[in-house]
Structure formats: structure tokens, C-alpha cells
Amino acid sequence: MFIKLIISSLSILFVTHILDSIEADSIMTAIIAAIALGIINTFFRPIIILLTIPITFVTLGIFLLFINAGMLYLTASIVPGFQVDSFLDAFIASVVISIVTAFVNHMSKSE
């Protein structure tokens, strides 16, 4: 769990460096945002996914990207010092965070 927190925090920091529209005031803010995102994904994301099964099915799972963006946007509204300018920015950031996290998880399992 601690490793996942580090990976999520590093992914958020990476996104803040490559996208000007995503900001975290400090490393501690990125850690808090990663914790908040983890909590939101644990409790709210399954409910949202359950309620949107029909549209997720019709879009062949692409709608899950929008759900991820919404969870990141919600995190930005809760965590002070973590800012996402628009939903489109949250969408792009959630895709990048997913790719970075998957890559780091794959690399850590290879060793």
C-alpha cells in the first residue's frame, strides 16, 4: 500500500511538471492528493461505475476514462493546493497518471 502511495504521488508530480494547467503546491500536497484520490477511488468510483454500466458497455469501456477524470477533478476540489483548471485537463491528466502508474507498476514487478 505504501508503494502504491509513492507511485501515485510520483505520477501526480509528473503530471504537474508536464501540464501547466495542473498544479500541486508542494510534494506534501501531491501526497495528500494521492491519498485523497485513493480514498475517492475506493469508495465513490465503484458506485459511479455501477450506475454507469450501460454507457460504459455501449462505449466499450471508454467512458471509464471520463469517470477517472471526474475522480481527479473531485480530488482537486477537495485538496487545498492541488488545482486542475478544467475537466479536459483532468481528463488528460488522468490518462497520463494511468499510463505512468501502469508503467511503474510493470517495471517494479519486473525486478
Side-chain angles (χ1 to χ4, degrees):
M1 182 167 158
F2 184 70
I3 300 295
K4 285 188 178 191
L5 175 63
I6 292 171
I7 292 170
S8 294
S9 300
L10 290 174
S11 298
I12 289 172
L13 283 173
F14 178 73
V15 166
T16 61
H17 286 305
I18 64 168
L19 297 174
D20 293 333
S21 56
I22 312 284
E23 297 178 10
D25 290 344
S26 66
I27 293 175
M28 189 55 130
T29 303
I31 292 170
I32 293 169
I35 292 169
L37 185 60
I39 291 170
I40 288 169
N41 282 338
T42 300
F43 293 106
F44 295 116
R45 189 170 184 265
I47 296 167
I48 300 295
I49 289 173
L50 184 64
L51 294 174
T52 59
I53 284 175
I55 189 134
T56 302
F57 181 74
V58 169
T59 62
L60 303 174
I62 301 293
F63 190 72
L64 291 174
L65 295 173
F66 291 95
I67 293 173
N68 289 342
M71 299 298 108
L72 185 64
Y73 202 65
L74 178 62
T75 301
S77 69
I78 293 172
V79 176
F82 181 60
Q83 180 180 349
V84 177
D85 289 345
S86 68
F87 188 80
L88 178 62
D89 296 325
F91 183 84
I92 295 167
S94 68
V95 170
V96 172
I97 288 171
S98 296
I99 291 169
V100 169
T101 303
F103 177 75
V104 172
N105 282 334
H106 176 73
M107 293 306 289
S108 65
K109 288 181 182 178
S110 296
E111 296 175 5

